């Protein structure tokens, strides 16, 4: 068993998503990350899984896949889930990722998003803070692709500081 990786396939429901936190955090700490880093990366995994469940289009038997891999220089969290055909959420997602990348510092994107959220009426579960939390609090770079099977794979890469050969 690879102690530097966690790979799970789970049903697209909230209980399954919540159950991933502890195995993820434990694996990260066993792989050499400090408690604060492990907490932040576990939050990243949780946010990506929640988005997959919230915005995915799942048929009977379809699942969400998560892979967390610790390397010498970085940690990658990747979550893959099925997209609906012609999914408007994908366009919004793409714009959001590009918007976050347009900032020099993810903190600036986070503050700007907080300002936007505070000026709008609350829409249940749609604050839009999750991706900016991943970039700022998780210190991760976001990326994604859609494969030929209409699966969206979202990755968040955390660069490990102070790691040497």
């Amino acid at each position: 068993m690879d102690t530097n990786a966690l790979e799970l396939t789970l049903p697209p429901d909230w209980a399954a998503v919540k159950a991933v936190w502890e195995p993820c955090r434990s694996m990260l700490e066993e792989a050499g990350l400090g408690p604060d880093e492990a907490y932040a990366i576990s939050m990243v995994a949780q946010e990506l899984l929640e988005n997959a469940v919230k915005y995915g289009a799942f048929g009977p038997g379809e699942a969400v896949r998560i892979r967390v891999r610790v390397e010498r220089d970085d940690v990658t969290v990747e979550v893959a889930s099925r997209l609906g055909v012609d999914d408007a959420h994908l366009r919004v997602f793409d714009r959001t990722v590009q918007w976050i990348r347009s900032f020099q510092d993810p903190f600036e994107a986070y503050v700007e998003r907080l300002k936007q959220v505070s000026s709008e009426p609350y829409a249940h579960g749609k604050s839009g803070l999750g991706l900016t939390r991943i970039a700022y609090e998780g210190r991760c770079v976001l990326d994604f692709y859609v494969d030929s099977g209409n699966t969206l794979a979202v990755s968040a890469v955390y660069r490990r500081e102070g790691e040497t050969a």
Side-chain angles (χ1 to χ4, degrees), residues 18-92:
K18 298 295 182 205
V20 171
W21 182 279
E22 188 54 32
C24 182
R25 189 200 57 74
S26 294
M27 182 279 296
L28 291 165
E29 285 190 10
E30 288 173 18
L33 275 75
D36 291 343
E37 288 176 305
Y39 182 90
I41 301 304
S42 296
M43 177 277 298
V44 167
Q46 196 80 46
E47 288 286 351
L48 290 178
L49 285 167
E50 288 175 7
N51 279 351
V53 170
K54 190 184 300 185
Y55 299 113
F58 301 96
E62 291 186 317
V64 178
R65 293 184 319 275
I66 181 169
R67 179 178 35 196
V68 183
R69 179 112 184 113
V70 179
E71 301 287 345
R72 186 178 70 97
D73 295 327
D74 57 45
V75 179
T76 302
V77 178
E78 183 178 271
V79 172
S81 61
R82 187 98 157 113
L83 274 179
V85 176
D86 196 26
D87 194 345
H89 292 297
L90 180 60
R91 290 185 294 279
V92 171

Side-chain angles (χ1 to χ4, degrees), residues 133-161:
R133 284 188 73 204
I134 290 168
Y136 169 56
E137 292 177 35
R139 298 188 342 252
C140 290
V141 175
L142 288 159
D143 203 0
F144 71 96
Y145 66 89
V146 178
D147 70 12
S148 61
N150 214 26
T151 297
L152 172 66
V154 182
S155 64
V157 178
Y158 168 78
R159 295 285 300 165
R160 296 179 73 184
E161 295 179 8

